[in-house]
Amino acid sequence: MTSRNTDHNPNVQVVNEDSENNVLAEKIRGSLESELAQNKPEDDAFHTINVMQNILDGEDLLKYMEQTDCCTCDRCQADVRALSLTKLPSKYVVIRKNDTSPTISFYREKYRMDIISTIMRAAEEVKAHPHHGQERN
């Protein structure tokens, strides 16, 4: 085996024997695999989401509240949101972070009418019994 340092870079070593090249290649491969494992992208991570809450967060509550002549103050908006979430069934799914958008799109189409009607009923109830301006215990 003969090896020499290059004139341009003292950290680079040229090895002329095949078996020594295999050893160096294995060390390089091992080092790269280790580095990749440490820098694993978050995209492969799983997380749990409540589909109904995620879809509700994307809906324009103000539009539906205005259609029912419900007050649109911050407190009434919060009450409509909370009441809607209480009335909707929880639908939890475990998905990869990159798959959130397609999954939500699928369920949005499936449950859209249920969610809208629940928001409308909640707005009617909040309109009938508003809590704004009141301190609640």
Side-chain angles (χ1 to χ4, degrees):
M1 170 186 85
T2 61
S3 68
R4 62 181 168 80
N5 288 339
T6 63
D7 296 332
H8 303 298
N9 188 341
N11 295 327
V12 175
Q13 185 175 22
V14 177
V15 179
N16 293 330
E17 187 176 300
D18 284 340
S19 65
E20 193 66 28
N21 281 338
N22 289 340
V23 170
L24 285 174
E26 283 300 312
K27 285 183 180 177
I28 292 169
R29 185 185 60 77
S31 175
L32 289 173
E33 286 177 351
S34 174
E35 186 175 326
L36 286 173
Q38 291 173 358
N39 296 326
K40 184 179 178 183
E42 289 292 319
D43 299 343
D44 284 344
F46 290 95
H47 67 277
T48 304
I49 61 169
N50 180 347
V51 171
M52 295 301 206
Q53 180 177 355
N54 199 299
I55 295 170
L56 182 71
D57 289 345
E59 289 295 328
D60 184 2
L61 292 181
L62 285 175
K63 177 176 84 171
Y64 300 114
M65 292 172 72
E66 289 168 353
Q67 288 177 0
T68 60
D69 291 325
C70 180
C71 173
T72 58
C73 74
D74 289 344
R75 175 58 195 250
C76 288
Q77 288 180 56
D79 285 345
V80 168
R81 183 176 186 283
L83 188 56
S84 296
L85 285 171
T86 300
K87 301 284 184 182
L88 288 168
S90 297
K91 176 73 176 156
Y92 289 96
V93 294
V94 177
I95 56 177
R96 292 187 188 278
K97 287 190 178 181
N98 279 349
D99 295 340
T100 300
S101 185
T103 302
I104 294 301
S105 294
F106 169 77
Y107 284 109
R108 180 175 285 117
E109 292 307 312
K110 185 173 181 176
Y111 294 112
R112 183 164 171 74
M113 294 313 297
D114 292 336
I115 290 170
I116 291 171
S117 63
T118 300
I119 294 169
M120 297 294 283
R121 284 192 302 272
E124 288 288 346
E125 191 170 331
V126 169
K127 176 183 171 185
H129 306 285
H131 294 128
H132 55 252
Q134 298 176 7
E135 292 300 319
R136 296 193 65 184
N137 294 331

